[in-house]
Amino acid sequence: QVQLVESGGGLVQAGGSLRLSCAASGRAFSSYNMGWFRQAPGQEREFVGAISWSRGTHYSDSVKGRFTISRDNTNDTVDLQMNSLKSEDTGIYYCAADLSHFVSTNPNLYEYWGQGTQVTVSS
């Protein structure tokens, strides 16, 4: 079992930056692939990016070059640094954990989820 808690959301102007953090508790954090997803009102949950247990990173085309994911296996945290934010980045951001060998962009394959943190980008 893994419990996940996101923090760091808020209101920011377009062009600004935010850093989200996801704190994990439970066993074997370093073995999990960690994903970030977001969901805008009336839309499906969307893959943002992920970092594998071996620290490989993967990003959606919409955030590539603007967002960076990192993990700290000592403190059991995974961060999402978001730069050059756009209004279309607005949504609830979730972190998720998965024990599969390969990183997935499919939210249905992630076993554990945080409660989410709201990010609002004003234009």
Side-chain angles (χ1 to χ4, degrees), residues 97-118:
D98 168 43
L99 262 178
S100 301
H101 187 72
F102 297 105
V103 168
S104 175
T105 63
N106 184 348
N108 295 321
L109 298 182
Y110 283 77
E111 300 171 72
Y112 304 105
W113 291 83
Q115 82 290 347
T117 185
Q118 176 71 47

Side-chain angles (χ1 to χ4, degrees), residues 4 35 78 111:
L4 304 172
V78 58
E111 300 171 72

Side-chain angles (χ1 to χ4, degrees), residues 45-123:
R45 197 162 294 189
E46 172 191 28
F47 174 77
V48 174
I51 186 165
S52 71
W53 57 270
S54 60
R55 300 183 183 273
T57 54
H58 309 264
Y59 300 97
S60 69
D61 288 343
S62 63
V63 307
K64 198 172 296 182
R66 300 188 297 123
F67 290 12
T68 304
I69 297 175
S70 59
R71 69 187 297 160
D72 181 344
N73 288 341
T74 299
N75 294 308
D76 291 356
T77 59
V78 58
D79 289 351
L80 178 66
Q81 176 66 43
M82 306 186 293
N83 299 328
S84 303
L85 283 161
K86 306 175 181 179
S87 57
E88 51 263 44
D89 294 318
T90 294
I92 300 175
Y93 281 69
Y94 300 89
C95 71
D98 168 43
L99 262 178
S100 301
H101 187 72
F102 297 105
V103 168
S104 175
T105 63
N106 184 348
N108 295 321
L109 298 182
Y110 283 77
E111 300 171 72
Y112 304 105
W113 291 83
Q115 82 290 347
T117 185
Q118 176 71 47
V119 171
T120 304
V121 183
S122 63
S123 55

